[in-house]
Amino acid sequence: MIINFIYFSFFIVLISSVGELFNNIFLKNYSRKQELINTENLVSSLFLLGFLTLIINFFFPLDNIFLKIFFFILFFYSLFLSFKKIIISISNNLLLLILTSLITFYMKVGYDGLLYHLPHQSFIKDYKIIFGLFNLHERFGIISLYGYISSLFWVGNDLKIISYLQGCFYFILFYSLKNYIFDKQIFKKVVGLSTLIFFPMWIRFVDPSYSLVDIPSSIIFIITFFLGINIILNKKNSNYEIKFFILLSALLYCFKTSYLIFILYVSVIFLIFIKKNKFKDTKDIIFLLLPILMVFFWTLKSFINTGCLIFPIKFTCFDLIWADLELTNIIYNEIINFGKIYVNSFSQIIITKNFNTEYIIYLIFITILFFYLFS
C-alpha cells in the first residue's frame, strides 16, 4: 500500500505539472499563484492529453517511439518547472492522496472494460484512425476520449497506471468537494455536503473500477455543473472561470457524447457571461479555439469511425461505404430501451440489502474522514 501511495502521488504530481504548464500559457500566470495540485491543473492536463492524443491518432498510432519521447519530454519538462511546489503541495493534500490511493489499490477492471474499452485502446495504440472501425465491434461507435488518454499509460500489458488515472478523477471530486464544504458561503457548504452524501446513489460509484468512463464523465459533469451555478450567482466572475467552464464542457462532451443535452446549459451560462461584458478580449476569443477544435476533431473522428457525426443519432448519419445504418439503428433503439429500463428499475436498485450496507459504510467512512481528519 505504501508503494502504491508513492506511485499514485507521483502520478498526480506529474499530471498536475502538465496542467500548470498549460494554464500558465493559456490562462496567463493564473496557476503560478496556486498550489500545484488542484482541480484546475488536473483537468487542464487531462484536456491537453486528450486533445493531443486525439489529433495525433489521425496520422499515427499512439504506440510509437517518437510519441513516447515527446510525452516523456512534456511530462518531465513540466515537472521541472513545478519542482519547487511538489513537497508543499503533497503535504497539503496528504490525506486526500492517501484516501484516493487506497481506492486505486483495490480497483479492478470495469464490468465492460474487456468488452470494448480496452480493446479499442489496443486498436488506437497499434493503428492510426480507421474508417469504419465501428464495423469490427458495434461498441466502438460509443467510445470516449478517456480511452485515448488511458492508452498513454499502458506499460506493456500492465494496466496499473490506468487505475491511477481513474483515481485522478476521484481525487478531483474529493478535492473540489472539500473546497465547497469548507467555503464561507452556506450555499457551497450545502452543495458540497449533499453531493458527498448522495454521490454513490448510482450503484457504479460504490464499486470503483478502472477502464470505464461512467465515473470520470459523471465527476466532470458535477464539477462543470457547479462551476456554472457559481458563474450565475457570482456577480464578480473572472474570464478565467468562463474559460475553464467551456474547457470542462468540451471535455465532458468528448468523454461521453450523451452529455450533448448539456449544450443548452452551456449556452445559457456563456450568454450570461457575455451580457456581463467580460469576454470581449481577442485573447479570450482565441482561447475558445481550443475546445472548439477538440469538439470538431472528435466529431470528425466519429464520422470516420461510424459514418455518423454524433453516433448513433439517426439524422447525423450518412449512407457511406464504411457505414452500417441498419446496425446503427439497432444500437440507437437498444440505448433508448436501456434508458427506459434503467429509470424504471432505479428505485429497486437503491433499496437492495447489499447497496444499503455498502452505502451506510460509505457514509460513516466519509463522515469520519471530512469532519475529523480535516478539522
Side-chain angles (χ1 to χ4, degrees):
M1 285 190 182
I2 295 177
I3 298 299
N4 187 72
F5 163 73
I6 294 173
Y7 285 162
F8 176 72
S9 299
F10 178 74
F11 180 83
I12 292 294
V13 166
L14 202 60
I15 296 296
S16 298
S17 64
V18 173
E20 183 171 66
L21 175 63
F22 176 89
N23 288 334
N24 283 338
I25 294 172
F26 292 101
L27 298 179
K28 301 302 177 185
N29 300 326
Y30 171 83
S31 61
R32 290 177 184 171
K33 302 175 184 178
Q34 312 296 316
E35 66 176 5
L36 174 61
I37 301 176
N38 59 51
T39 299
E40 291 82 2
N41 285 345
L42 288 168
V43 170
S44 294
S45 180
L46 294 169
F47 176 90
L48 178 62
L49 295 178
F51 183 80
L52 291 175
T53 51
L54 174 63
I55 293 178
I56 288 170
N57 192 235
F58 274 85
F59 308 100
F60 306 100
L62 295 181
D63 188 17
N64 70 72
I65 188 63
F66 298 106
L67 290 184
K68 289 179 180 178
I69 293 173
F70 169 76
F71 281 109
F72 180 86
I73 294 173
L74 173 64
F75 281 129
F76 283 92
Y77 176 68
S78 303
L79 194 64
F80 172 76
L81 294 179
S82 304
F83 188 76
K84 294 181 180 180
K85 292 184 175 182
I86 292 176
I87 300 299
I88 189 169
S89 196
I90 290 177
S91 62
N92 289 342
N93 295 281
L94 185 61
L95 294 173
L96 283 184
L97 288 170
I98 292 173
L99 166 66
T100 317
S101 68
L102 287 173
I103 295 175
T104 64
F105 185 79
Y106 291 103
M107 276 187 184
K108 56 184 181 298
V109 179
Y111 67 95
D112 61 0
L114 295 175
L115 177 61
Y116 70 99
H117 289 291
L118 295 177
H120 176 263
Q121 292 174 37
S122 180
F123 265 101
I124 61 177
K125 280 168 55 65
D126 294 337
Y127 304 97
K128 64 180 183 179
I129 194 167
I130 299 174
F131 279 83
L133 179 64
F134 153 74
N135 292 287
L136 297 179
H137 194 309
E138 64 271 17
R139 296 290 187 97
F140 286 169
I142 53 174
I143 48 85
S144 167
L145 185 70
Y146 172 79
Y148 283 78
I149 302 172
S150 295
S151 66
L152 289 176
F153 301 111
W154 287 45
V155 181
N157 291 322
D158 187 349
L159 305 178
K160 182 60 181 177
I161 300 181
I162 298 181
S163 70
Y164 296 158
L165 176 63
Q166 193 82 343
C168 180
F169 290 93
Y170 281 98
F171 183 90
I172 289 172
L173 178 70
F174 294 144
Y175 182 92
S176 300
L177 293 184
K178 182 196 74 171
N179 289 339
Y180 267 89
I181 290 170
F182 292 100
D183 194 276
K184 294 180 181 179
Q185 297 182 32
I186 299 298
F187 170 76
K188 288 187 176 181
K189 289 180 180 290
V190 173
V191 167
L193 283 170
S194 60
T195 303
L196 189 65
I197 291 171
F198 294 105
F199 174 66
M201 287 297 286
W202 190 19
I203 195 69
R204 298 183 188 186
F205 290 116
V206 182
D207 185 20
S209 56
Y210 62 86
S211 80
L212 299 182
V213 71
D214 302 291
I215 290 176
S217 61
S218 297
I219 290 173
I220 294 297
F221 170 78
I222 291 170
I223 303 303
T224 309
F225 182 78
F226 287 166
L227 179 57
I229 295 295
N230 190 61
I231 289 174
I232 293 174
L233 298 180
N234 193 349
K235 296 181 179 179
K236 296 181 179 180
N237 300 119
S238 65
N239 284 17
Y240 159 76
E241 289 178 301
I242 192 63
K243 287 180 180 179
F244 190 59
F245 175 77
I246 294 172
L247 183 147
L248 275 166
S249 301
L251 188 64
L252 178 64
Y253 173 73
C254 294
F255 266 35
K256 209 164 187 179
T257 52
S258 57
Y259 282 106
L260 178 64
I261 193 173
F262 200 59
I263 186 69
L264 180 61
Y265 183 73
V266 174
S267 301
V268 170
I269 300 298
F270 187 68
L271 290 174
I272 289 174
F273 204 83
I274 292 295
K275 190 175 181 180
K276 293 180 180 180
N277 298 316
K278 291 190 175 184
F279 206 75
K280 291 185 175 181
D281 194 289
T282 303
K283 294 179 181 179
D284 296 332
I285 297 173
I286 291 175
F287 176 84
L288 288 179
L289 290 176
L290 288 174
I292 289 173
L293 280 174
M294 188 162 81
V295 172
F296 170 78
F297 280 108
W298 185 253
T299 304
L300 181 60
K301 183 277 310 171
S302 177
F303 179 74
I304 292 173
N305 283 168
T306 68
C308 300
L309 297 176
I310 306 174
F311 183 87
I313 299 178
K314 298 176 184 179
F315 69 86
T316 71
C317 300
F318 299 86
D319 190 8
L320 304 168
I321 191 172
W322 67 84
D324 188 334
L325 296 183
E326 183 179 352
L327 182 56
T328 299
N329 188 53
I330 292 173
I331 293 176
Y332 175 81
N333 291 328
E334 286 180 350
I335 292 174
I336 295 298
N337 292 332
F338 175 79
K340 294 178 180 178
I341 294 172
Y342 185 80
V343 170
N344 292 334
S345 62
F346 181 74
S347 59
Q348 297 177 11
I349 293 174
I350 64 174
I351 62 173
T352 60
K353 180 178 179 180
N354 290 336
F355 181 80
N356 277 335
T357 302
E358 292 169 330
Y359 189 52
I360 290 171
I361 293 173
Y362 171 86
L363 286 179
I364 294 172
F365 178 70
I366 290 298
T367 302
I368 293 173
L369 178 70
F370 277 89
F371 288 94
Y372 177 72
L373 295 179
F374 281 97
S375 61

